[in-house]
Amino acid sequence: MKNRRIGAVEVSAIGLGGMPMSVEGRPDDDNRSIRTIHAALDAGVTLIDTADSYHVHADEVGHNESLIARALAGYGGDTSDVLVATKGGMFRPGDGTWGEDGRPEQIRAACEASLKRLGVESIGLYQHHRPDLSVPYADSIGAVRDLLDEGKIQMAGISNANPEQIRQAQEILGGRLVSVQNQFSPAFRSSEPELMLCDELGIAFLPWAPLGGSAQAAQLGSRFQPFADVAASRGVSPQQICLAWHLAQSPVVIPIPGARRPESILDSVAATALTLDDDELAALTFG
Ligand SMILES: NC(=O)c1ccc[n+]([C@@H]2O[C@H](COP(=O)([O-])OP(=O)(O)OC[C@H]3O[C@@H](n4cnc5c(N)ncnc54)[C@H](OP(=O)(O)O)[C@@H]3O)[C@@H](O)[C@H]2O)c1
């Protein structure tokens, strides 16, 4: 498995996104999700992305964090090099919607609860989930800085941020911003300015919904013909080509494809062994 860097920490170049295991459409049986996480670990994945808001019902906040903690605890091998990246700053009231709560006191409370669920003294990577327009961004990121200063989190990241917010967070965190997680995929390329800025600043860029999201991932090849064409010529899946295309954007890019089945993540990690040539990249980018 090839590695990339988040701050000073080396992680697998492809991570595992935990969201589909805990939101609408999740498996009926958590055991399948646990098998999926174990398959990822077996394949050398050392980055798992989650959030306290990855759940369905209002009374099961942190469903995905608890699932990951259980999977790690029940894994036969060494998990000491696995970075669990969680997020705080959003909530789900249980009616299918999502909301933001970026009040500093809420971010602190959310982090404390995530620490308990993950069963750790300090969270490896804590990401502010999404700007809350009713709270000054500086206040939300200031709360994350305080958690970092106190050692409750080891590294700080942000998500769904624009270039101005990335620079602002970097300043508030005193140069300690290590990651930005924004939507980016063949269907959604408008986070390119943020990706370029992360490349310039040497900050990890974690594309979310890198395959277009759970509802669209299976149709990637039929929606984007160049991905199907390169996949056919290589004898691999369009999803693998898509992840190799992500990796080729910049050395700071670390895709976090979601999975509910072991087969999906195993196919995805194989993308780290693919190097696309210039003609293939041009076809995927401009085709
Ligand atoms: N920061 C944010 O605001 C935000 C928002 C959304 C998501 N995220 C994070 O980003 C992660 C990724 O996004 P996502 O899960 O929404 O979308 P995604 O990664 O684009 O798509 C996930 C779906 O792709 C399928 N899949 C994965 N690898 C595949 C392969 N090699 N071949 C065929 N199908 C494959 C999976 O199917 P199966 O389920 O059948 O295995 C899964 O349901 C999330 O899990 C979450 O951690 C963050």
Side-chain angles (χ1 to χ4, degrees):
M1 171 68 84
K2 287 192 184 126
N3 284 349
R4 292 205 164 176
R5 230 167 232 291
I6 300 183
V9 177
E10 283 216 352
V11 294
S12 52
I14 301 264
L16 171 65
M19 191 172 93
M21 298 182 218
S22 290
V23 299
E24 290 78 356
R26 64 190 181 191
D28 294 334
D29 178 6
D30 277 352
N31 288 329
R32 174 144 73 92
S33 299
I34 288 176
R35 281 201 305 279
T36 302
I37 297 168
H38 286 176
L41 297 172
D42 287 345
V45 168
T46 56
L47 171 66
I48 305 179
D49 182 73
T50 181
D52 60 353
S53 53
Y54 292 168
H55 62 95
V56 175
H57 308 293
D59 62 355
E60 50 164 26
V61 175
H63 178 280
N64 195 242
E65 292 178 324
S66 301
L67 183 69
I68 290 165
R70 250 191 307 144
L72 289 174
Y75 185 63
D78 180 18
T79 57
S80 57
D81 60 346
V82 176
L83 178 66
V84 177
T86 193
K87 308 181 204 80
M90 290 192 79
F91 64 93
R92 304 204 71 196
D95 60 2
T97 64
W98 301 72
E100 295 87 37
D101 190 343
R103 291 171 301 146
E105 62 274 23
Q106 173 54 26
I107 287 177
R108 172 168 293 273
C111 179
E112 298 281 2
S114 292
L115 278 163
K116 286 205 186 86
R117 281 189 293 266
L118 293 172
V120 294
E121 301 266 302
S122 179
I123 290 171
L125 171 60
Y126 197 67
Q127 306 158 97
H128 179 248
H129 205 151
R130 187 181 278 278
D132 177 348
L133 300 181
S134 67
V135 176
Y137 195 54
D139 292 359
S140 300
I141 302 303
V144 176
R145 177 204 50 219
D146 293 348
L147 295 168
L148 191 57
D149 288 343
E150 292 164 28
K152 289 187 184 291
I153 65 174
Q154 286 161 34
M155 296 193 290
I158 56 175
S159 179
N160 300 300
N162 63 31
E164 192 188 333
Q165 289 162 334
I166 294 173
R167 291 191 189 278
Q168 189 185 359
Q170 179 66 309
E171 192 182 325
I172 291 166
L173 292 165
R176 294 175 294 170
L177 177 68
V178 298
S179 65
V180 173
Q181 183 177 141
N182 274 17
Q183 185 174 10
F184 194 70
S185 69
F188 188 96
R189 304 192 190 197
S190 56
S191 283
E192 210 169 322
E194 290 84 14
L195 195 166
M196 300 313 290
L197 181 59
C198 286
D199 178 84
E200 179 193 324
L201 299 176
I203 293 171
F205 182 88
L206 280 47
W208 66 253
L211 303 173
S214 280
Q216 303 282 348
Q219 290 88 46
L220 196 129
S222 52
R223 294 182 70 214
F224 300 94
Q225 191 60 42
F227 286 82
D229 294 343
V230 176
S233 74
R234 293 280 196 143
V236 299
S237 69
Q239 290 80 7
Q240 232 183 84
I241 295 297
C242 178
L243 294 165
W245 169 79
H246 276 286
L247 291 170
Q249 303 299 308
S250 158
V252 301
V253 171
I254 307 173
I256 46 169
R260 290 168 293 205
R261 294 175 301 126
E263 296 84 337
S264 302
I265 188 63
L266 293 177
D267 186 65
S268 293
V269 296
T272 62
L274 274 178
T275 305
L276 300 170
D277 66 30
D278 290 346
D279 289 344
E280 289 171 324
L281 280 171
L284 299 174
T285 304
F286 306 110

